[in-house]
Amino acid sequence: MRYFIKADHFLLENKVVDKGYLLIENGIFSSIVHDVSSEDNVVDWSGFSVAPGLFDTHIHGIDGYDIMDGTEEAVKKISISLAARGVTRFLPTTLTSSSEDLNKAIMAVKSMVQQGLPGAQSEGIFLEGPYFTETHKGAQNEKYFKDPSLEEFNEWQKLADGMIRKIALAPERTGTQEFIRSVKRSGVQVSIAHTDADYVCCEEAIENGANNFVHLYNGMKGMHHREPGTVGSALRSKNSFVEIICDGLHVHPEVAALTYQLKQDRLMLITDCMRAGGMPDGEYTLGEFPVAITDGVARTETGSLAGSTLELIDGIKNLCEWTKEELTDIWHLASLTPAKSLGFESKFGSIAEGKKADYVVLNSNLEVECTAVNGKVIYSRE
């Protein structure tokens, strides 16, 4: 299939192109031209902007569903819900839980991917846990915490048919450094999370292959001028990616803006959204924990933040406001940077020739009018 998109603005990696026609051929981005013939198939989005599809690499659920439900329906509904919010790719994310529940979640994702997801596409599974520490457990269930086991992980990976793309762990646990080296060699990305690791331990983990810090500042040892801690390692490392939940609650706006100054395109926007995203205030669950939503804020019974109800596009809007940076620069922190963190930047993440035609059509209020994956529309506001 070959067609052109006519729009007022196109958000490219380093610039905005005004007034043109973006060619899409067989689901792949081609060039932007300023003239077309009367015989060309043109989809007219005059008055609107076209941006790359968003990629949420850390999301548990939305609209009442959660990956840990362990059902095909949950995975399917999350895929559809994300498409309506401009997300074209995502990593279904698990929680620390029993082996039985993790097996169910993995099998549900695998089954739905094999059948074909109707909305946003899964780019693999993200195991958030269970190799964490109690000190910064957050909303993870500590009764399932354990030291990493390569044998156990390989069983999960076998069950997933190789779909586990990323795992988060606390690097101070016994045997973790060798575990990082082993899974990294197999092509799995390793993240640091829910940890009390000091600076030296984190640096060793990075040397062994860890390349990302999960929801920076939350669930980890903070920075002190005599002990840089986990946060100090994240900010000091030139090549490591850091995730931020830009809802104004998990991280203060000024700290988020400072982090952008320090990390630039190594800052990755995520939601860490749970099932209450897009839902009214009330009582919900996150894994085995009851969670209360008040004014859109998710908290456990002890008052701890329990994931978020953030939409990725709102995180973009927030960081734009806090940093006063151009939209195209911040937008790519939720599209191209996530792709880079997994080694997918040559496939998608930006509007560039040869990449998969994942795009979002936006109105002047940055509301999603249309979402497409591989050049095929998967959501239309009308």
Side-chain angles (χ1 to χ4, degrees):
M1 183 178 179
R2 182 179 189 271
Y3 68 95
F4 289 89
I5 300 175
K6 180 183 181 182
D8 284 12
H9 311 287
F10 297 94
L11 275 64
L12 306 187
E13 288 184 27
N14 300 308
K15 62 181 179 179
V16 176
V17 173
D18 297 326
K19 301 289 185 182
Y21 299 84
L22 172 61
L23 174 59
I24 294 174
E25 294 186 283
N26 299 318
I28 303 296
F29 286 128
S30 187
S31 57
I32 295 177
V33 298
H34 293 284
D35 292 295
V36 295
S37 74
S38 58
E39 297 178 354
D40 286 318
N41 181 14
V42 177
V43 178
D44 193 347
W45 282 106
S46 297
F48 297 89
S49 299
V50 176
L54 300 175
F55 185 8
D56 196 343
T57 58
H58 186 162
I59 178 164
H60 298 281
I62 196 169
D63 282 344
Y65 295 92
D66 192 290
I67 295 299
M68 292 307 297
D69 291 344
T71 66
E72 294 177 6
E73 180 186 19
V75 180
K76 180 179 179 180
K77 293 292 188 180
I78 291 168
S79 165
I80 293 170
S81 294
L82 290 178
R85 292 162 169 88
V87 176
T88 53
R89 309 273 167 177
F90 72 115
L91 291 187
T93 306
T94 64
L95 282 168
T96 297
S97 190
S98 66
S99 293
E100 180 183 5
D101 285 346
L102 285 170
N103 289 347
K104 284 176 60 181
I106 288 169
M107 291 175 65
V109 173
K110 179 179 73 172
S111 178
M112 273 312 306
V113 169
Q114 290 173 345
Q115 293 178 49
L117 289 170
Q121 299 299 293
S122 167
E123 288 301 322
I125 297 169
F126 174 22
L127 291 184
E128 191 184 7
Y131 309 134
F132 290 146
T133 182
E134 292 83 356
T135 308
H136 296 284
K137 63 183 180 181
Q140 302 280 337
N141 197 332
E142 63 183 303
K143 78 178 183 180
Y144 300 115
F145 288 172
K146 63 183 86 173
D147 293 329
S149 164
L150 193 58
E151 180 181 1
E152 180 178 55
F153 175 80
N154 287 337
E155 286 297 316
W156 281 327
Q157 189 67 292
K158 181 179 179 181
L159 184 66
D161 283 348
M163 286 177 54
I164 298 173
R165 189 70 61 185
K166 183 164 72 169
I167 185 169
L169 46 71
E172 70 269 30
R173 295 204 71 109
T174 302
T176 299
Q177 300 298 340
E178 175 56 36
F179 179 87
I180 293 172
R181 289 193 294 271
S182 296
V183 299
K184 183 71 174 183
R185 283 195 296 267
S186 72
V188 176
Q189 300 297 331
V190 179
S191 297
I192 294 172
H194 296 284
T195 172
D196 199 41
D198 61 20
Y199 181 84
V200 173
C201 181
C202 290
E203 290 299 292
E204 183 181 1
I206 291 170
E207 289 175 7
N208 284 321
N211 78 332
N212 178 48
F213 290 79
V214 172
H215 43 52
L216 186 64
Y217 306 110
N218 295 280
M220 62 182 61
K221 180 190 282 288
M223 184 170 66
H224 188 275
H225 58 283
R226 294 193 184 96
E227 164 47 45
T230 311
V231 170
S233 176
L235 297 178
R236 185 77 176 88
S237 173
K238 292 182 179 179
N239 296 320
S240 295
F241 295 89
V242 299
E243 299 178 0
I244 292 253
I245 306 169
C246 283
D247 59 359
L249 298 166
H250 284 79
V251 179
H252 190 282
E254 292 300 330
V255 175
L258 174 62
T259 306
Y260 176 71
Q261 279 186 300
L262 296 173
K263 298 297 293 188
Q264 295 290 301
D265 65 355
R266 293 280 160 169
L267 171 60
M268 180 163 55
L269 301 187
I270 56 125
T271 63
D272 196 14
C273 189
M274 47 89 72
R275 72 169 74 247
M279 301 290 285
D281 285 356
E283 302 296 323
Y284 297 88
T285 58
L286 181 61
E288 299 176 11
F289 294 126
V291 174
I293 307 296
T294 304
D295 296 328
V297 181
R299 294 189 184 276
T300 64
E301 291 177 323
T302 62
S304 298
L305 289 170
S308 84
T309 59
L310 180 70
E311 293 184 16
L312 198 50
I313 197 167
D314 289 330
I316 293 171
K317 294 175 187 177
N318 288 339
L319 194 57
C320 278
E321 180 182 347
W322 302 339
T323 61
K324 309 305 179 188
E325 297 289 340
E326 295 295 328
L327 174 62
T328 187
D329 294 325
I330 303 302
W331 186 277
H332 284 87
L333 303 182
S335 61
L336 183 58
T337 296
K340 286 180 179 177
S341 75
L342 295 164
F344 293 154
E345 66 271 26
S346 65
K347 298 180 180 180
F348 53 81
S350 61
I351 297 175
E353 288 193 53
K355 291 191 178 185
K356 294 181 178 181
D358 296 355
Y359 64 84
V360 181
V361 178
L362 305 167
N363 64 26
S364 58
N365 295 319
L366 295 188
E367 295 169 329
V368 176
E369 297 287 339
C370 171
T371 306
V373 168
N374 298 327
K376 180 182 178 181
V377 173
I378 57 171
Y379 166 77
S380 178
R381 194 173 184 182
E382 297 180 356

